[in-house]
Amino acid sequence: MPILEILDYAGVAVFAVTGALSASRKQLDIIGYVFLASVTGIGGGTLRDVILGATPVFWVTNPIYLLVCTAAGIAVFLSAHLMHSRYRLLVWLDAVGLSAYCVMGAAKGLEATGSPAVAMVTGMLTATFGGVLRDLLAGEPSVLLRPEIYVTAALVGSGMFTGATALGAPLIVASAIGILAAFLVRGGALRYGWTLPTGRAGPGRHPDDVM
Amino acid sequence: MPILEILDYAGVAVFAVTGALSASRKQLDIIGYVFLASVTGIGGGTLRDVILGATPVFWVTNPIYLLVCTAAGIAVFLSAHLMHSRYRLLVWLDAVGLSAYCVMGAAKGLEATGSPAVAMVTGMLTATFGGVLRDLLAGEPSVLLRPEIYVTAALVGSGMFTGATALGAPLIVASAIGILAAFLVRGGALRYGWTLPTGRAGPGRHPDDVM
Amino acid sequence: MPILEILDYAGVAVFAVTGALSASRKQLDIIGYVFLASVTGIGGGTLRDVILGATPVFWVTNPIYLLVCTAAGIAVFLSAHLMHSRYRLLVWLDAVGLSAYCVMGAAKGLEATGSPAVAMVTGMLTATFGGVLRDLLAGEPSVLLRPEIYVTAALVGSGMFTGATALGAPLIVASAIGILAAFLVRGGALRYGWTLPTGRAGPGRHPDDVM
């Protein structure tokens, strides 16, 4: 199986598990698990395909992805009570999914347009959009707004992949470099609380106090 | 007028009314009613068309849908003060819209791909996405996260439609079966509080207590 | 440079600045500024292109837009601490972006379909969607739900543009009329608190009190 296809299945599967873990945190029923697993698992790739005009999107032309999401939802439904901390597992799996998907999104963007700038953005957007959607639908505080490095990791991964490809690295090497770079950055942020400096301005006031 | 077109108008109209009822709950002006009516009415079908690559989307090629949404918004603006409980009306109309749209989405997905799995998912997604969008934009607690059966009803409806079609039922019979099944399940959930069992794990802690 | 291209860059740039201001209010890091700047800057136009089937979307075929968003994000990161009220600046720039984008969206919709009704809706949706997305992702109260006139301004602008075009006005004149009209309406709403009457029904109860 080609490397990009493996990455795609891996990204879908782990994001699907994070969606199901969110469903568990919200005490939904089994269909709720499968629904959030599916939306999270296929959300990023769907956005990528729609932006690039690669429609019908990937899971319409290959419904195996839907089976993967369904299986992930059911597996979490049956086992979530065994987990000590679902949120911690959620963010670590989200880190794995983000690492796989930033390379996958960059590769598809590069293939479709040849532009490294577009590749970095499609990589970043598709790696983060599944999680954004999951948090919005589940009513969780968005992982985007947490202080630890998040979007940066996706950008580093898609940037390293795009750079390595531009330097002539074979697909499998460039992919490995991109995935590892993204995971090291995001994993370090989770483990050691890595942050980048915020701007020098303080927090915003409530809109009603300003208008 | 063919059955699928009737379903499409019906789904758009009732979802538009639910969007306008949300606008009324938030005390928006008449343009706010029309805006939320339009987004809710055409949101699910727009997602369906974009995913399947059927662009320009349905309401661009046939702007009558926009008139339907506008009329629904104005009608609710003029009459909402007469209603005893807008939220109760909203969820019951949402149930009607969901029933029409899960069949409509499944039919379009089946026609475009021939895959029953894809049909069930396009049915489920398009039936629920209008309401998800409405709740997000209006800042209401998402109907997805309420305990009563919701997504399941859309899945039952699109599954019964897809199954009946696979067994050779004529379009109008399969549609009627799918719509009735979805409405019975969702209506029963609203009337009798039907739920499916939730997982065995407890509610999630706040992310800040976990990280 | 043709007038529509100028409008497009202007709309993207000012929306990008509003996204970066939101990032500043949430004390994100520099990548967070660039991310929210990009999503807000290109969000409305992306939705427009996807709905019309004009894919790959505009910033994939012309990545200069991404450089504009990145520059806007960095500029705000470096200067936000100098601003007295970021939220006030945000809503005024949002008004500029909305005025440029309602004309731009209407022009593209008219060109693609020839339908004035579709043009008004694509104008309205694309002018408001960037801000909606920004507020959702940043967890801010949606500008849609504030009492002052908002969607109405976009509708007036795209309506005036569409009407002037139908009456035979040259593109540059119709554009100027549309932009001015939208900005006068939205600016008046911000400066003088203009509102339209809300419906006669009171605010909604909490769903849990109704079900």
Side-chain angles (χ1 to χ4, degrees):
Chain A
M1 187 154 52
I3 173 76
L4 287 182
E5 207 173 324
I6 294 173
L7 282 184
D8 218 11
Y9 282 112
V12 166
V14 295
F15 271 130
V17 170
T18 71
L21 287 168
S22 246
S24 170
R25 286 169 51 78
K26 297 290 167 179
Q27 301 194 282
L28 303 185
D29 59 35
I30 191 168
I31 302 292
Y33 280 64
V34 171
F35 183 81
L36 273 185
S38 301
V39 170
T40 311
I42 65 183
T46 300
L47 179 67
R48 175 199 64 210
D49 287 354
V50 164
I51 283 173
L52 295 173
T55 51
V57 302
F58 70 108
W59 53 268
V60 169
T61 47
N62 179 3
I64 291 174
Y65 291 100
L66 299 173
L67 294 182
V68 170
C69 292
T70 304
I74 294 172
V76 173
F77 183 79
L78 297 175
S79 63
H81 63 288
L82 303 174
M83 294 165 195
H84 173 62
S85 172
R86 285 163 291 168
Y87 191 75
R88 198 182 298 273
L89 184 60
L90 187 161
V91 292
W92 276 96
L93 286 177
D94 186 276
V96 175
L98 178 140
S99 304
Y101 246 26
C102 70
V103 165
M104 181 69 207
K108 274 227 185 174
L110 201 57
E111 190 194 333
T113 69
S115 156
V118 168
M120 286 183 66
V121 174
T122 52
M124 178 181 76
L125 278 183
T126 59
T128 56
F129 188 70
V132 165
L133 211 54
R134 174 196 64 219
D135 295 343
L136 272 179
L137 294 187
E140 299 266 17
S142 176
V143 74
L144 271 186
L145 301 179
R146 292 192 63 83
E148 313 92 16
I149 284 174
Y150 185 71
V151 175
T152 305
L155 206 54
V156 166
S158 54
M160 295 291 279
F161 169 82
T162 307
T165 302
L167 294 174
L171 185 60
I172 194 161
V173 174
S175 299
I177 291 173
I179 292 171
L180 272 176
F183 190 73
L184 283 176
V185 172
R186 178 62 181 157
L190 285 172
R191 181 74 182 78
Y192 301 108
W194 290 349
T195 57
L196 291 180
T198 58
R200 286 163 58 200
R205 288 170 285 168
H206 192 277
D208 285 334
D209 299 332
V210 180
M211 295 299 290
Chain B
M1 188 154 51
I3 174 75
L4 287 183
E5 209 173 322
I6 294 173
L7 282 184
D8 217 10
Y9 282 111
V12 166
V14 295
F15 271 130
V17 170
T18 70
L21 287 168
S22 244
S24 170
R25 286 169 49 80
K26 297 292 167 177
Q27 300 194 283
L28 302 185
D29 59 34
I30 191 168
I31 302 293
Y33 280 65
V34 171
F35 183 80
L36 273 185
S38 300
V39 170
T40 312
I42 66 183
T46 300
L47 179 67
R48 175 199 62 210
D49 287 355
V50 165
I51 283 173
L52 295 173
T55 51
V57 303
F58 70 108
W59 53 269
V60 170
T61 48
N62 179 3
I64 292 175
Y65 290 101
L66 299 173
L67 295 182
V68 169
C69 291
T70 305
I74 294 172
V76 173
F77 182 79
L78 297 175
S79 64
H81 63 288
L82 303 173
M83 294 166 195
H84 173 62
S85 171
R86 286 164 290 168
Y87 192 75
R88 196 181 298 274
L89 184 59
L90 187 161
V91 292
W92 277 97
L93 287 176
D94 187 276
V96 175
L98 179 141
S99 304
Y101 246 26
C102 69
V103 165
M104 181 70 206
K108 275 226 186 176
L110 201 56
E111 190 192 334
T113 68
S115 155
V118 169
M120 285 184 66
V121 173
T122 53
M124 177 181 75
L125 277 183
T126 59
T128 56
F129 187 69
V132 165
L133 211 54
R134 175 195 64 222
D135 295 344
L136 271 180
L137 294 186
E140 299 266 18
S142 177
V143 74
L144 271 185
L145 300 180
R146 293 192 62 84
E148 312 91 16
I149 283 173
Y150 185 71
V151 175
T152 305
L155 206 54
V156 166
S158 54
M160 295 291 280
F161 169 82
T162 307
T165 302
L167 294 174
L171 185 60
I172 194 159
V173 174
S175 300
I177 291 173
I179 292 171
L180 272 177
F183 190 74
L184 284 176
V185 172
R186 177 62 181 156
L190 285 173
R191 180 73 182 78
Y192 302 108
W194 290 348
T195 57
L196 291 180
T198 58
R200 286 163 58 199
R205 287 168 287 167
H206 192 278
D208 285 334
D209 299 333
V210 179
M211 295 301 289
Chain C
M1 186 153 53
I3 173 76
L4 287 182
E5 209 173 322
I6 294 172
L7 282 183
D8 217 10
Y9 282 112
V12 166
V14 296
F15 271 129
V17 170
T18 70
L21 288 168
S22 244
S24 170
R25 287 169 50 78
K26 296 292 167 178
Q27 300 193 281
L28 302 185
D29 59 35
I30 191 167
I31 302 293
Y33 281 64
V34 171
F35 183 80
L36 273 185
S38 301
V39 170
T40 311
I42 65 183
T46 300
L47 178 67
R48 174 200 63 209
D49 287 355
V50 165
I51 283 173
L52 294 173
T55 50
V57 302
F58 70 108
W59 54 269
V60 170
T61 48
N62 179 3
I64 292 174
Y65 290 101
L66 299 174
L67 295 181
V68 170
C69 291
T70 304
I74 294 172
V76 173
F77 183 78
L78 297 175
S79 64
H81 63 288
L82 303 173
M83 294 166 195
H84 172 62
S85 172
R86 286 163 291 168
Y87 191 76
R88 197 181 298 274
L89 184 60
L90 186 161
V91 292
W92 277 97
L93 286 176
D94 187 276
V96 175
L98 178 140
S99 304
Y101 246 27
C102 70
V103 165
M104 181 70 206
K108 274 227 186 174
L110 201 56
E111 191 193 334
T113 68
S115 155
V118 169
M120 286 183 66
V121 173
T122 53
M124 178 182 76
L125 277 184
T126 59
T128 56
F129 188 69
V132 165
L133 212 52
R134 175 195 64 220
D135 295 344
L136 271 180
L137 293 187
E140 299 265 18
S142 177
V143 73
L144 271 185
L145 300 180
R146 292 192 63 83
E148 313 92 16
I149 283 173
Y150 185 72
V151 175
T152 305
L155 206 54
V156 166
S158 54
M160 296 291 280
F161 169 82
T162 307
T165 303
L167 294 174
L171 184 60
I172 194 160
V173 175
S175 298
I177 291 174
I179 291 170
L180 272 177
F183 189 74
L184 284 176
V185 171
R186 177 62 180 155
L190 284 173
R191 179 76 183 76
Y192 302 108
W194 290 348
T195 58
L196 291 180
T198 58
R200 286 162 58 200
R205 288 169 287 167
H206 192 278
D208 285 333
D209 299 333
V210 180
M211 294 300 289

